[in-house]
Amino acid sequence: MAQEIAAPQLSEQSAYTQAMQIIARAMQPDPPLWVDQWCDAHMRIPADTGAAEPGRYNLDRTPWAREILRVLSPEHPCTEVVVMAASQLVKTQTGLTAICAWVDAAPGNAAIYEPTGDLTKRVSARLDKTIAAIPRLAEKFAAPRSRDAKNTVGFKDFRGGSLLLATTGTPSSTAEHPCRYIYVDELDRSSKAVAKVEGSHIGRIRARTGTYGARSKIYWTSSPVEEETSEIFALYQQGDQRRYHVPCPHCGHMHPLDWEHLQFDGHTAAFACPECGGLIEERHKTQLFARGQWVATATPTRPGLVSFQLSYLYAPYGWTSWTALAHEHADALTAAEQGDDEPLQAFWNTRLGLPWAASKSTSNAATLKARAEREQIPEGIVPAGALFVTAAVDTQSDRLEYQAVAWGEGMESWVIDKRVLHGSPSESKVWDELDDLHRTARYPRADGHAAHAIAVLFIDSGGHHTQEVYNFTRVREHRHIYAVKGSSKPGSAIIPKSPSRVDINWRGRQEKRGAKLWFIGTDTGKDWIFSRIQREQGPGALHFNVRMTEDDFEQVCAEYRHAVWRRGHKVVQWHKKRSQRNEGLDLLVYNVAAAHWLGLHKLDEHQWAKRREKICPPVQQGDLLAQPATTATAPPAPEVAPPPSKPQPSRLVTPRAIKPFSRPW
């Protein structure tokens, strides 16, 4: 009987002991986990995923991935890891490997964010196949669609936590799910329209890890897009910006594989060592990558953030070759020369893993300023090659920005004057100053011939002072002063065939003698400028005077081109960079429109010769001893004088002789 009574006591004690052991194990800290070591021991790539190299995930094939997995380990002190890389190279595989290692050895709530629902389903299916291929993982996840736990496309339960799979751009998908681990795939391709509901993706996602503090880990990956809007590029710059350096097989010099060092003869591509010049061929890849190492190139500005950049030049031997990439780049350059820069942008983003800056691909502020300092074109002087002068004004809330451009044969141009007229456009003082400037300004020529008046002046009517512009231009059309307004409609002409009347009377009808408004195709004008801005001499070349400031050049390069698809058609738009003034570029566009209004783009060699003969007549017998002016100064800003009591007719032509498209020459 005693034994029968003791048996249940022993059973109860055994159950209590087991329960305490379970509690003790749960309270123990996570065992040391290094994701790269876990990968070597357990990671598999299922054959039914369609992978080119299924089976054990061999880090010897992609040795640059080991360090990325290393910093993704819970043992590493960083809390955020950024990989800005080429497509189909490293991002998704390392992300799935980290998720599997975290779930297996240091479990906690996790999330995977994809830019679209289709990609979410695809990654979920790939993860299911990976789990099935690794037995130690399969036993920790709930059976698919089981009654006692969840295992669906968007949510998976596992021992120690749960895994959410959702789209980045949906605010509700990131709420109410605290996570220790987060993997964000293709950040730059997320739905920005939906994200605006609650602000930036980055801030909302970081908020999900708040309760885990220093134990959390966020893995950001993406191929970048435009430099000015790329979120992954902004994150990369906040980290230590690691580049993978490889040794030259000839001299041992360590250096990254940069595109500018690739040599291509039309048939075969090879890298030239920046130190010894020796050629590094495709067959050296395995040796190069095995002996390579990551090198930090910057000091992090955000604590706990590590960042990597990797291009497809680091693809293992047997994948896409350097020669194939060189051919692809050559085709993209050909398309860009024909006006389609989308293939070149795609190559830059998805092959080189670098952000695209269209304005920098043609020119940038530093380049233009260096050219101006080299050419030493004086301010306020019309060069010998120029035969016309146009001007433009951009209206701002507290000033008028003025720019004058000289034009020569083949539409070669020189920015000869840039000034600011301070004062509110709602008051007459600043308009009186502009009127006096236009009437008195005469730009001397470098060759000593007669100075130039302004042939035509365009004034921007956009903004908050439209009526003031109409009032100013309406009574000065006989002096070729017109109101203009930008139009960003794709395919718009730089200037239309005829203007629009914009004034209406008290009956709401259009005034026959109302102000004329010319609509300017601004995007077309910017295309015209940036397709020629690299030319330093000859037709289409654009020059700047030496007195222009760094800010002036920044304004010229303040916008970039961006291609979008609408209803199956590609549309190229211009966008302003963040916090950047663009008055300088707008003024250039208006001056280009003014030159087209004059018809300068249609003049042939004979007409240019006649114009030159008129402006620069041959030296007569009595003028042989005359000394031509070699230097001149910019016309001084005239003092404000009271306007004449009666309107004075233009010296070029009387008001009655003006026709809708008459030319002053």
Side-chain angles (χ1 to χ4, degrees), residues 472-483:
F472 183 83
T473 59
R474 182 195 303 108
V475 296
R476 293 171 176 81
E477 291 177 358
H478 64 283
R479 289 162 55 186
H480 301 288
I481 300 176
Y482 297 101

Side-chain angles (χ1 to χ4, degrees), residues 180-435:
R180 179 181 178 183
Y181 308 110
I182 296 180
Y183 165 43
V184 184
D185 191 21
E186 294 299 348
L187 176 66
D188 276 4
R189 285 154 182 80
S190 301
S191 175
K192 296 182 179 179
V194 179
K196 290 180 181 178
V197 176
E198 291 190 10
S200 169
H201 301 330
I202 297 174
R204 289 186 292 108
I205 290 173
R206 279 175 175 157
R208 304 282 72 80
T209 64
T211 57
Y212 289 92
R215 298 170 58 220
S216 65
K217 193 80 69 172
I218 305 178
Y219 185 29
W220 310 93
T221 72
S222 186
S223 298
V225 286
E226 288 82 8
E227 178 179 308
E228 292 80 7
T229 59
S230 173
E231 291 183 317
I232 196 69
F233 180 60
L235 286 173
Y236 172 75
Q237 290 184 307
Q238 294 175 17
D240 52 5
Q241 303 178 35
R242 301 185 185 188
R243 302 286 312 282
Y244 198 69
H245 288 226
V246 295
C248 171
H250 308 291
C251 68
H253 175 69
M254 298 292 291
H255 64 280
L257 294 179
D258 290 324
W259 182 255
E260 55 265 29
H261 294 148
L262 186 72
Q263 296 187 356
F264 181 53
D265 60 7
H267 302 284
T268 305
F271 272 92
C273 173
E275 182 70 16
C276 69
L279 290 183
I280 306 172
E281 301 176 1
E282 188 88 14
R283 60 186 177 87
H284 294 128
K285 272 187 172 181
T286 302
Q287 175 188 358
L288 286 179
F289 301 157
R291 297 170 56 195
Q293 61 184 19
W294 287 101
V295 176
T297 62
T299 301
T301 59
R302 183 178 180 86
L305 193 150
V306 175
S307 59
F308 301 85
Q309 191 274 331
L310 199 70
S311 75
Y312 212 83
L313 297 170
Y314 292 91
Y317 185 78
W319 294 16
T320 303
S321 66
W322 293 337
T323 300
L325 292 176
H327 280 291
E328 187 177 331
H329 182 257
D331 293 340
L333 284 178
T334 301
E337 291 171 357
Q338 297 172 355
D340 183 9
D341 58 0
E342 185 180 14
L344 189 58
Q345 177 178 347
F347 184 88
W348 212 255
N349 295 157
T350 64
R351 290 302 197 183
L352 298 185
L354 294 172
W356 171 258
S359 57
K360 291 183 179 180
S361 69
T362 53
S363 190
N364 58 35
T367 302
L368 297 181
K369 182 170 177 59
R371 186 198 304 174
E373 293 175 350
R374 185 171 65 251
E375 292 181 339
Q376 289 293 309
I377 296 172
E379 182 184 30
I381 306 298
V382 178
L387 300 172
F388 294 90
V389 173
T390 64
V393 170
D394 185 65
T395 57
Q396 299 294 322
S397 60
D398 60 348
R399 67 192 185 281
L400 300 179
E401 298 265 353
Y402 169 90
Q403 183 190 77
V405 177
W407 297 89
E409 186 172 355
M411 297 287 281
E412 187 172 6
S413 59
W414 294 261
V415 178
I416 59 173
D417 195 6
K418 174 76 183 295
R419 64 179 72 185
V420 178
L421 307 181
H422 294 283
S424 172
S426 62
E427 301 175 359
S428 61
K429 179 179 179 297
V430 70
W431 293 108
D432 292 340
E433 186 176 353
L434 176 62
D435 181 65

Side-chain angles (χ1 to χ4, degrees), residues 109-111 113 150 155 162-164 166 170-180 182 198 204-212:
N109 280 357
Y113 291 110
K150 293 182 178 180
F155 198 86
S162 59
L163 173 64
L164 171 72
T170 306
S172 60
S173 69
T174 59
E176 299 180 1
H177 186 75
C179 296
R180 179 181 178 183
I182 296 180
E198 291 190 10
R204 289 186 292 108
I205 290 173
R206 279 175 175 157
R208 304 282 72 80
T209 64
T211 57
Y212 289 92

Side-chain angles (χ1 to χ4, degrees), residues 435-436 439 476 479 641-649:
D435 181 65
D436 205 43
R439 285 188 297 103
R476 293 171 176 81
R479 289 162 55 186
S645 57
K646 296 182 179 180
Q648 300 296 316

Side-chain angles (χ1 to χ4, degrees), residues 17-254:
T17 302
Q18 291 178 1
M20 294 303 296
Q21 290 175 348
I22 293 173
I23 294 173
R25 286 197 300 268
M27 295 179 64
Q28 289 179 354
D30 295 330
L33 168 63
W34 294 100
V35 176
D36 60 317
Q37 296 177 359
W38 186 95
C39 176
D40 290 333
H42 308 295
M43 192 61 188
R44 297 293 183 271
I45 301 176
D48 55 355
T49 59
E53 299 181 6
R56 185 176 68 87
Y57 183 14
N58 185 7
L59 288 178
D60 291 338
R61 287 282 284 157
T62 56
W64 28 259
R66 183 174 293 279
E67 181 68 14
I68 297 174
L69 295 176
R70 192 78 174 173
V71 299
L72 286 170
S73 306
E75 299 300 308
H76 195 279
C78 76
T79 56
E80 296 186 46
V81 180
V82 176
V83 171
M84 183 177 69
S87 299
Q88 303 295 318
L89 184 65
V90 65
K91 303 187 297 294
T92 304
Q93 187 58 55
T94 53
L96 293 181
T97 300
I99 288 287
C100 292
W102 294 333
V103 169
D104 181 37
N109 280 357
I112 298 177
Y113 291 110
E114 294 288 339
T116 65
D118 289 341
L119 280 176
T120 301
K121 294 176 183 178
R122 199 176 307 170
V123 169
S124 180
R126 181 171 171 181
L127 181 60
D128 286 340
K129 294 176 181 178
T130 302
I131 293 170
I134 305 175
R136 61 187 296 120
L137 277 178
E139 66 180 17
K140 295 183 179 180
F141 275 89
R145 295 179 177 84
S146 62
R147 294 183 179 180
D148 58 341
K150 293 182 178 180
N151 191 333
T152 63
V153 171
F155 198 86
K156 303 180 189 300
D157 267 348
F158 57 84
R159 194 180 303 159
S162 59
L163 173 64
L164 171 72
L165 294 97
T167 57
T168 316
T170 306
S172 60
S173 69
T174 59
E176 299 180 1
H177 186 75
C179 296
R180 179 181 178 183
Y181 308 110
I182 296 180
Y183 165 43
V184 184
D185 191 21
E186 294 299 348
L187 176 66
D188 276 4
R189 285 154 182 80
S190 301
S191 175
K192 296 182 179 179
V194 179
K196 290 180 181 178
V197 176
E198 291 190 10
S200 169
H201 301 330
I202 297 174
R204 289 186 292 108
I205 290 173
R206 279 175 175 157
R208 304 282 72 80
T209 64
T211 57
Y212 289 92
R215 298 170 58 220
S216 65
K217 193 80 69 172
I218 305 178
Y219 185 29
W220 310 93
T221 72
S222 186
S223 298
V225 286
E226 288 82 8
E227 178 179 308
E228 292 80 7
T229 59
S230 173
E231 291 183 317
I232 196 69
F233 180 60
L235 286 173
Y236 172 75
Q237 290 184 307
Q238 294 175 17
D240 52 5
Q241 303 178 35
R242 301 185 185 188
R243 302 286 312 282
Y244 198 69
H245 288 226
V246 295
C248 171
H250 308 291
C251 68
H253 175 69
M254 298 292 291

